Amino acid sequence: MSRTRAARCLSIVATSLTLAALATGCGDGKDSGSSSGKDIVIGMVEDTSGGTAATSAEASTGISLAIDEINKAGGVGGRSLKLIRQSDGSQPSQTPAVLRKLVSDGARVIIMNSSSASAQQVKPVVEQEKIVAISATNIATAIAEPPNNTFSFILANPITDIGTVYAAAFKKIGVTKLAVITDDSPTMAGLNKGLLPIFEQSGITIVANEKAPLNSTDVAPQLSRIAAAKPDALFVSSLGGQLEVLFHNTAHQIIPDAPRISLASIGNQPETWKLAKPGALRQLVYASAISADNARSTELGGKLKAKLGEKYLGLTAFAAQGYDTVYLLKQAIEKAGVDSSPAQVRDGLEQISKFPASWGRQGFTMSFTSSKHVGSDGLCGIVLRRFTEQNQPGDNWADYQPQCS
């Protein structure tokens, strides 16, 4: 093994979760990053150091578990799945080169496990390479829409679905004046462009719209301006991580009585909850995708708990979506044939219908066709949950849940 390759492998082991590290594909031999002729190589663009690192790590946990299960059960058509990984640090300008490296190392399909902006950035490259790139957790609608979308797919409900659900929820609880605080990442800039117009079209007035850099240590000025605008509720649109906890810690002090609503990130990043001050997340509503009535979610949670032991902090939507991504690819490869080309894997994926999901409400499914590259079948993939006084995710939000369609 070369010094360069050894250093990369050691870095992966040091920065990834235990399960994820088991599937890095690091090993001896000059060809260890490419297919041996027996393995089916899956490439993954991940984020180990940027703004979506926490999200990426959660998804990697589910991805690694699924690969482990499939290989122990005999693989796909008798061939093992092999995961090779490259990090783009959530830097979209780096993602095309990272993806091309995975392709050159023998990847038959690509899992996008970094930011939505990264997934959008590589769409032309994916078209050129004619290889499936499927986003495990990204929600930017543009990933699956023209142009350059014939090989780009997403699993989760897109931001337009989330906007529709929240607009209805705001109407239900009487919110007409909304304040927004967001980070300055390219991903959130893109998502907000799709999200906020939906709110405004539903009759909600955005009375304040504040932004903070990802490395902020003080957001009191932004929250003070929001308090002065006297909103009915505060909407937090963020990648999550330390900055979103800072948003909530500060809002808890400055506008403690304002209802707070968030996207999915913080509710699916267990390591960040301990950073919140006592009660700072109390009653925070977020767009989860995990519901107690889904037996598949319960089963997956049990598997992860058995695998991770004390490190298991609860099932997250990101872990469930990562897990399902691998099983969707397994089915696509089986439909296309184990010796199929990367382009034919796309055809196999487009034949998958009513795939039972490990996330969403009971009975929720995913389907793809040549004209439908968003997997979610309706709004039952979105579950609104709220935090407890102990800064832990609690019950489903009783005030509103989306109607299944």
Side-chain angles (χ1 to χ4, degrees):
M1 180 186 291
S2 69
R3 289 183 180 181
T4 300
R5 184 164 184 78
R8 182 174 73 83
C9 292
L10 288 172
S11 175
I12 291 172
V13 172
T15 57
S16 300
L17 293 174
T18 302
L19 281 179
L22 294 175
T24 57
C26 296
D28 294 323
K30 65 181 181 179
D31 292 326
S32 60
S34 59
S35 174
S36 66
K38 296 181 181 179
D39 295 332
I40 296 173
V41 181
I42 297 175
M44 181 167 72
V45 178
E46 62 183 338
D47 174 16
T48 60
S49 59
T52 55
T55 298
S56 185
E58 282 295 316
S60 292
T61 302
I63 289 166
S64 298
L65 175 62
I67 289 176
D68 188 42
E69 284 183 350
I70 290 168
N71 286 343
K72 285 182 178 178
V76 181
R79 299 187 185 182
S80 293
L81 298 179
K82 178 180 180 180
L83 184 68
I84 59 175
R85 315 152 71 112
Q86 291 282 330
S87 175
D88 69 353
S90 195
Q91 296 293 322
S93 63
Q94 305 300 315
T95 317
V98 166
L99 189 142
R100 289 189 188 278
K101 178 66 168 63
L102 291 170
V103 173
S104 71
D105 284 347
R108 291 264 298 278
V109 293
I110 302 292
I111 296 175
M112 294 302 300
N113 187 20
S114 185
S115 68
S116 286
S118 294
Q120 290 176 249
Q121 186 71 21
V122 296
K123 287 175 65 179
V125 179
V126 170
E127 290 291 302
Q128 293 167 7
E129 298 290 345
K130 298 187 183 304
I131 187 170
V132 165
I134 183 165
S135 291
T137 63
N138 299 143
I139 57 176
T141 312
I143 296 170
E145 292 182 337
N148 296 319
N149 71 318
T150 58
F151 286 89
S152 294
F153 298 77
I154 67 175
L155 263 70
N157 289 88
I159 192 66
T160 47
D161 282 359
I162 295 172
T164 299
V165 167
Y166 269 138
F170 292 145
K171 183 177 181 181
K172 179 72 178 294
I173 64 174
V175 171
T176 59
K177 297 187 298 180
L178 186 70
V180 177
I181 190 164
T182 186
D183 63 49
D184 66 349
S185 66
T187 288
M188 295 320 304
L191 293 180
N192 289 334
K193 285 181 180 178
L195 184 67
L196 300 188
I198 295 175
F199 294 165
E200 293 171 325
Q201 290 163 12
S202 70
I204 295 167
T205 301
I206 308 294
V207 296
N209 192 345
E210 295 288 338
K211 184 185 298 184
L214 284 169
N215 61 353
S216 295
T217 58
D218 180 14
V219 294
Q222 290 94 328
L223 268 302
S224 295
R225 290 192 290 270
I226 284 174
K230 298 182 178 179
D232 297 326
L234 172 62
F235 187 78
V236 180
S237 183
S238 168
L239 293 176
Q242 294 184 8
L243 180 58
E244 180 157 356
V245 175
L246 180 62
F247 286 156
H248 292 295
N249 283 341
T250 309
H252 184 57
Q253 292 178 325
I254 295 177
I255 47 173
D257 297 326
R260 272 177 281 140
I261 298 93
S262 179
L263 292 176
S265 297
I266 192 168
N268 292 287
Q269 296 172 354
E271 290 294 334
T272 67
W273 304 337
K274 61 188 177 185
L275 303 177
K277 294 179 179 179
L281 302 181
R282 181 179 64 86
Q283 300 300 308
L284 168 65
V285 174
Y286 68 99
S288 176
I290 298 299
S291 182
D293 69 352
N294 189 335
R296 295 180 64 85
S297 297
T298 302
E299 180 184 5
L300 176 56
K303 291 177 180 179
L304 286 170
K305 185 175 182 179
K307 192 80 173 181
L308 293 174
E310 293 181 356
K311 293 182 179 180
Y312 179 71
L313 298 176
L315 179 64
T316 67
F318 298 150
Q321 288 163 350
Y323 181 85
D324 282 355
T325 296
V326 178
Y327 274 97
L328 283 164
L329 290 174
K330 173 182 181 289
Q331 191 171 122
I333 293 168
E334 288 172 339
K335 288 179 177 294
V338 292
D339 293 314
S340 59
S341 69
Q344 290 170 321
V345 174
R346 186 271 312 272
D347 300 335
L349 194 57
E350 291 178 342
Q351 295 175 39
I352 294 176
S353 179
K354 302 298 181 182
F355 184 97
S358 299
W359 49 283
R361 310 237 297 262
Q362 179 66 26
F364 179 68
T365 62
M366 296 172 286
S367 303
F368 297 102
T369 68
S370 60
S371 59
K372 180 180 181 292
H373 281 196
V374 176
S376 57
D377 291 331
L379 297 180
C380 272
I382 301 172
V383 181
L384 302 184
R385 297 182 71 183
R386 62 181 179 182
F387 276 83
T388 68
E389 182 75 42
Q390 291 72 39
N391 292 339
Q392 296 286 321
D395 297 331
N396 290 359
W397 189 34
D399 288 346
Y400 182 81
Q401 291 294 325
Q403 295 295 313
C404 293
S405 58

